[in-house]
């Protein structure tokens, strides 16, 4: 019994300890999940000490016991719970050891003020009617760039790898292009012709000064030079259009690069991560193909198909502001991702009779991946109103839903509810609350974990 009391005290201070640690919230959540069935471990194991050796006196003092079956605090009235007396001769809710039996948790007011547990009231909310669509996650095209070569060529070298961060102008892929080689040869020929025309002109100019050549010969040489300059410039522009940088043009024909090699370096267009890489050495790439995608995934798009009969409702609702949406993917079945409708397509697919709708979703932890299939719920404001509580307030244990309701002072008691429809942050309450109660919202799980811990601790009533 002494051992048990000691443990009881340790458990009672656990909630306070959490508050002091501050950064320990995640650990507490972890402890909670570690034994979700701890709440009734005593009853499930007939051989456990409390079931086998519970003192008879306890049964007499506990009005909730009917034979071997204990009535859950969720099935007793609040008055009954707060009037109950424990085996220590105290009111059960005031006894640090027995409080859990009546589903009551004591939370010092300073913890509530410190923000560990947030209070919430129940509100009548307009029911947001969701429409459910199927869609696919894609890159947010505002944040990515697809790079294609401007000329057909075979991949000779790949300088960057998938997932690598690249800087603007960093070489990514090197191609060898017959077409580019021809343009380079044209450029080099034009350069040679220009040099010849220039020296010829200079000679004619000198001869003219010395009054040896005729005016006609001089003008002809000048014309040839001008024509060669135009051809050289045009050849250079052609190279630039194909993606050859100015520095590379200058190096053409000099050491390290032979004439007409047709080597094209594809460079990163902007700062970002290589999200897709299709270039494989030896493969032929065409100008209309994206060989690499560079960008970031801090936000994603989800494209979904909106049926013709849903279009009018969505467009009407959009006039009232951005429509909220929720995205669910198979990879993360426990949660969903918030988003907002930011575009409804202008064209209808004639075959499927659907219109594309785009949902933008923040993706800071990069869980959403391009190509994932998604279920998209778009919430349209409805006319009907319902009693609703914040999602964080609704907890469940052994298949029953409940909330913690503030009773008086530091005391909170868990009360059963029948949840109805669920929205992004709200849950409809069909039964169980009048609407006047104050609830524990964020942090409510700490109250639940306190009850669970106490129940587990009660397993040592020897
Ligand atoms: Zn007691």
């Amino acid at each position: 019994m002494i051992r048990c009391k000691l443990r009881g005290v340790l458990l009672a201070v656990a909630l306070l300890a959490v508050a002091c640690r501050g950064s320990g919230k995640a650990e507490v959540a972890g402890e909670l999940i570690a034994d979700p069935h701890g709440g009734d471990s005593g009853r499930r194991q007939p051989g456990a000490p409390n079931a086998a050796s519970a003192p008879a006196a306890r049964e007499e003092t506990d009005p909730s016991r009917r034979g071997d079956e204990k009535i859950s605090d969720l099935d007793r009235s609040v008055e009954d719970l707060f009037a109950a007396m424990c085996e220590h001769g105290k009111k059960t809710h005031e006894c640090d050891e027995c409080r859990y039996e009546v589903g009551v948790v004591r939370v010092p007011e300073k913890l509530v003020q410190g923000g560990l547990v947030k209070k919430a009231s129940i509100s009548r909310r307009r029911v947001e009617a969701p429409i459910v669509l199927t869609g696919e996650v894609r890159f947010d095209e505002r944040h990515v760039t697809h790079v294609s070569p401007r000329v057909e060529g075979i991949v000779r070298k790949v300088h960057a790898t998938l997932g690598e961060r690249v800087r603007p102008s960093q070489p990514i892929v090197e191609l060898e292009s017959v077409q580019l080689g021809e343009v380079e040869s044209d450029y080099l020929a034009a350069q040679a012709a220009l040099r010849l025309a220039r020296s010829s002109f200079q000679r004619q100019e000198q001869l003219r000064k010395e009054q040896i050549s005729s005016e006609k010969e001089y003008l002809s040489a000048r014309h040839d030079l001008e024509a060669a300059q135009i051809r050289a410039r045009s050849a250079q522009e052609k190279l630039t259009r194909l993606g050859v940088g100015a520095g590379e043009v200058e190096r053409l024909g000099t050491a390290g690069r032979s004439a007409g090699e047709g080597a094209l370096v594809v460079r990163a267009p902007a700062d970002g991560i290589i999200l897709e890489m299709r270039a494989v050495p030896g493969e032929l790439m065409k100008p209309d193909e994206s060989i690499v995608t560079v960008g970031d995934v801090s936000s994603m798009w989800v494209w979904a198909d909106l049926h013709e009969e849903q279009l009018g409702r969505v467009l009407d609702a959009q006039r009232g502001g951005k429509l909220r949406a929720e995205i669910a993917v198979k990879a993360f079945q426990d949660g969903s991702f918030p988003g907002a409708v930011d575009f409804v397509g202008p064209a209808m697919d004639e075959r499927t009779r659907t219109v594309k709708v785009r949902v933008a979703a923040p993706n800071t932890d990069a869980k959403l991946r391009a190509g994932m299939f998604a279920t998209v719920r778009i919430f349209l404001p409805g006319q009907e109103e319902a009693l609703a509580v914040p999602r964080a307030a609704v907890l469940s244990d052994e298949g029953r839903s409940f909330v913690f309701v503030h009773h008086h002072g530091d005391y909170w008691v868990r009360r059963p509810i029948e949840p109805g429809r669920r929205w992004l942050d709200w849950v409809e309450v069909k039964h169980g609350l009048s609407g006047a109660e104050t609830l524990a919202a964020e942090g409510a799980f700490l109250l639940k974990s306190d009850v669970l811990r106490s129940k587990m601790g009660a397993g040592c009533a020897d």
Side-chain angles (χ1 to χ4, degrees), residues 86-88 95 98:
C86 76
E87 63 187 18
H88 305 99
C95 175
C98 306

Side-chain angles (χ1 to χ4, degrees), residues 120-124 387-390 426 429 433-439:
S121 51
I122 305 155
S123 51
R124 288 200 76 79
L387 214 55
V389 297
W426 298 89
V429 176
L433 297 171
S434 71
E437 296 91 341
T438 297
L439 307 176

Side-chain angles (χ1 to χ4, degrees), residues 25 29 33 68 82 92 115 127 139 178 220 241 259 263 276 280 325 334-335 338-339 346 350 365 386 398 410 444 460:
K25 282 186 190 175
I33 294 160
D68 283 347
F82 278 86
T92 311
V127 174
F139 290 122
V178 175
S220 167
R241 276 202 301 277
E276 284 174 332
V280 177
D334 292 342
E350 287 176 17
D365 48 8
E398 295 166 31
D410 293 345
C460 69

